[in-house]
Amino acid sequence: MEPTVKSNIKTEEYFINMGPQHPATHGVLRLMLTIDGEIIKNVEPDLGYIHRSIEKMCERDSYQQIVHLTDRMDYLSSHINNEAVCLVVEKALEIEVPERVKVIRTIIGELTRIASHCLWWGVMGMDVGALTTYFYAFRDRELINDIFEETCGARLTMNYNIPGGLMFDIHPNFVNRTKEFIAHFKTKIPEYDRLLTGNVIFQKRTKGIGVLSPEDAISFGASGPVARGSGVNCDIRKIHPYSAYDLVKFEESLQTNGDCLARYNVRIQEMWQSLSIIEQLIDNIPEGDIKVATKAVIKLPKGEYYQRVETARGELGCYVNSTGTKNPYRFKFRSPGLSNLGVINSLATGSKIGDLVAIMSTIDIVVPDIDR
């Protein structure tokens, strides 16, 4: 037998900064890593680089103005964020919006979800080295942005929802262009699978990496695809339906492995479900008004109100404390990004730096949603 050779090489923990990145990436986030060689011992997020005091600004703004602040948070879920504020104001005022508004809001919300997942998919591939995905994803996302631009005049920080309804009716081309997109995109999701999902290298980079248990997902308050990738039922559209979600049939996208690949697959499945929801509604948009009359200056009755919606990243909650004036005493957002980011140290500890990139991508962080 050969004698055992003892290594005299000593390892030493050291600290490196990952970021802060340029705002044009996922947002300005700094991660302070404690590493031993290539192995991560601890990850500590450093936030606040793009904090803009949005919640404080809400205290001085009217409720109509607050709507326009929310699309600067998770800018990839603009319409859904706007809808959340409108819903909590309508709940406080006991306003029932027309059925036409509910259906249009739901269609717009699901188009927003698909557009967000498209961008995530393209960037996810690019983060792990597959540059081609970025171009494929933006090809399809631009088609949705074209519909949004024709509908509300914007392509990123979009405003269309107002308390009591919609700013104006849908464009005459809206239904046809949406149906054309559905037909187009049904042929593209299988293309995504051929290009990335089934790729051997991609599977190696994501399978068994960053495993999140259901217990930890619940403990950290994770939501959206991050939690559903661990088998946690948390889709607000199912649990507490709003707008027209009680009129459609769809499945909650769930995976049970809890790893990066599971979270990836949840979002792929969600794109199919979003297409199904839009298909069920697009030919059945009710006729009628697109808003109900509200006072020029909205004053909510004194009290506390809460509304939650399912954004592309998870549960967004809006809490309002009103004293009966035209400005809220307190407006608090429960953002999905902050809770989802909380799991990162648990997922990354013991992994390599390259794995951290994949983990970050499948958490799908939009930092302005966290900093606010």
Side-chain angles (χ1 to χ4, degrees):
M1 293 179 61
E2 294 184 6
T4 302
V5 178
K6 292 185 178 181
S7 174
N8 293 321
I9 299 175
K10 294 181 180 180
T11 60
E12 183 180 345
E13 285 188 358
Y14 58 100
F15 305 91
I16 64 170
N17 285 315
M18 188 179 232
Q21 294 92 4
H22 188 274
T25 59
H26 297 291
V28 190
L29 173 66
R30 174 184 173 226
L31 297 178
M32 294 177 286
L33 308 183
T34 304
I35 61 175
D36 184 354
E38 276 282 318
I39 305 302
I40 296 171
K41 297 296 185 181
N42 187 65
V43 180
E44 186 176 340
D46 183 20
L47 304 172
Y49 286 89
I50 48 176
H51 180 69
R52 292 151 293 163
S53 301
I54 283 179
E55 290 181 0
K56 190 65 180 177
M57 290 167 67
C58 290
E59 296 173 15
R60 64 149 199 227
D61 287 346
S62 69
Y63 290 99
Q64 293 98 324
Q65 292 171 319
I66 291 171
V67 175
H68 303 286
L69 293 176
T70 59
D71 48 80
R72 272 75 177 171
M73 292 165 32
D74 176 1
Y75 47 80
L76 300 180
S77 296
S78 294
H79 286 300
I80 307 175
N81 293 351
N82 294 166
E83 184 179 8
V85 177
C86 294
L87 288 171
V88 74
V89 171
E90 291 157 7
K91 179 186 287 187
L93 295 176
E94 298 183 347
I95 290 175
E96 184 71 23
V97 299
E99 291 299 312
R100 182 175 180 83
V101 172
K102 294 180 181 179
V103 171
I104 292 173
R105 280 179 175 177
T106 303
I107 294 172
I108 292 285
E110 293 309 307
L111 285 172
T112 300
R113 195 179 316 279
I114 295 172
S116 176
H117 285 352
C118 278
L119 187 145
W120 158 80
W121 181 81
V123 174
M124 169 82 203
M126 192 170 63
D127 283 348
V128 296
L131 301 181
T132 311
T133 58
Y134 189 82
F135 301 102
Y136 280 71
F138 268 74
R139 171 200 61 191
D140 302 325
R141 186 173 182 271
E142 285 299 292
L143 298 177
I144 298 178
N145 282 346
D146 290 341
I147 296 171
F148 286 161
E149 185 176 23
E150 200 170 58
T151 303
C152 67
R155 301 176 73 88
L156 185 63
T157 51
M158 294 168 275
N159 302 125
Y160 187 52
N161 292 296
I162 58 172
L166 306 171
M167 285 185 179
F168 28 75
D169 210 345
I170 52 176
H171 192 277
N173 294 337
F174 180 81
V175 172
N176 286 335
R177 294 192 74 166
T178 301
K179 290 165 77 171
E180 288 172 1
F181 171 77
I182 293 171
H184 165 83
F185 200 56
K186 278 185 173 181
T187 67
K188 299 307 173 188
I189 303 179
E191 190 177 72
Y192 290 5
D193 289 334
R194 290 194 301 271
L195 187 66
L196 189 63
T197 311
N199 185 284
V200 176
I201 299 173
F202 179 75
Q203 293 263 335
K204 292 285 187 182
R205 291 293 305 272
T206 56
K207 200 168 186 178
I209 303 298
V211 177
L212 177 67
S213 68
E215 295 77 17
D216 282 349
I218 294 169
S219 178
F220 280 105
S223 62
V226 173
R228 290 194 287 276
S230 300
V232 179
N233 297 88
C234 59
D235 195 326
I236 304 302
R237 298 172 296 172
K238 282 282 190 183
I239 302 170
H240 296 286
Y242 55 94
S243 295
Y245 286 108
D246 57 343
L247 304 177
V248 295
K249 295 181 180 180
F250 67 99
E251 297 177 5
E252 183 174 7
S253 303
L254 290 172
Q255 295 279 313
T256 56
N257 291 337
D259 57 5
C260 288
L261 188 59
R263 293 186 285 275
Y264 172 92
N265 284 327
V266 165
R267 293 185 178 92
I268 295 294
Q269 292 170 10
E270 281 194 354
M271 289 194 278
W272 282 113
Q273 294 303 315
S274 292
L275 286 177
S276 173
I277 292 170
I278 298 168
E279 269 192 312
Q280 293 174 60
L281 296 174
I282 195 64
D283 285 324
N284 299 293
I285 300 176
E287 296 296 329
D289 296 330
I290 51 116
K291 65 178 76 171
V292 294
T294 59
K295 293 182 178 179
V297 178
I298 293 177
K299 297 180 180 180
L300 299 193
K302 186 176 180 179
E304 296 176 280
Y305 309 96
Y306 190 75
Q307 176 67 43
R308 46 185 182 165
V309 298
E310 184 72 24
T311 74
R313 261 143 292 283
E315 178 185 336
L316 171 67
C318 293
Y319 164 81
V320 182
N321 188 318
S322 172
T323 55
T325 65
K326 66 183 180 69
N327 311 109
Y329 173 75
R330 181 76 171 94
F331 208 114
K332 169 67 179 173
F333 295 103
R334 187 270 183 208
S335 72
L338 182 61
S339 300
N340 290 346
L341 180 63
V343 307
I344 193 166
N345 186 48
S346 177
L347 299 191
T349 300
S351 301
K352 296 183 178 181
I353 295 176
D355 296 331
L356 177 59
V357 175
I359 291 168
M360 285 276 290
S361 292
T362 55
I363 293 176
D364 191 16
I365 294 167
V366 174
V367 181
D369 181 50
I370 300 169
D371 278 350
R372 295 195 290 283

